[in-house]
Amino acid sequence: MTRTHVERLGEFREILVATRREGVRNVHHTRDAMRASGFQIGESDGSSYGAQLKALQEQIEAVDRAIEDEKRLALVLEGAVQSRRPTKPRIVKGA
């Protein structure tokens, strides 16, 4: 079966979300490892990863908009195809 644009975009979104989750996991892992090694670190707000996180989130939101656009386009195309199909004439019986 051929994958649709929406399916491909959905798969791309999954990759971006997995990348975002991995980045957040790495931030926590690094902080925890540094603490375990005896480094004195404060409560980091994660700002060193914040720029990457922001860029990833913007990409995810762009993909979400693209998915909605593809769904809308599919409905428009489906409607155009249906409107080109010949309709059977209705037989109206006289009174």
Side-chain angles (χ1 to χ4, degrees):
M1 179 174 85
T2 304
R3 293 182 314 187
T4 67
H5 296 297
V6 172
E7 290 169 333
R8 288 175 187 248
L9 284 165
E11 291 168 3
F12 182 52
R13 186 185 193 285
E14 290 173 13
I15 292 168
L16 292 172
V17 169
T19 302
R20 179 187 65 193
R21 289 176 178 167
E22 184 64 24
V24 170
R25 192 171 21 255
N26 287 340
V27 167
H28 285 279
H29 175 74
T30 300
R31 184 190 64 196
D32 294 344
M34 288 176 72
R35 280 190 180 147
S37 296
F39 283 97
Q40 296 296 321
I41 59 172
E43 288 298 318
S44 173
D45 61 0
S47 61
S48 61
Y49 179 66
Q52 292 173 312
L53 179 62
K54 181 180 177 189
L56 273 169
Q57 189 60 38
E58 288 171 352
Q59 291 174 25
I60 292 166
E61 291 167 6
V63 172
D64 287 342
R65 290 189 305 274
I67 289 170
E68 290 307 312
D69 187 50
E70 287 294 339
K71 287 178 180 179
R72 184 187 57 76
L73 289 171
L75 288 175
V76 168
L77 290 174
E78 183 180 307
V81 168
Q82 287 181 358
S83 68
R84 282 190 242 144
R85 291 184 183 151
T87 56
K88 294 181 182 178
R90 288 187 1 191
I91 300 174
V92 180
K93 295 183 180 179

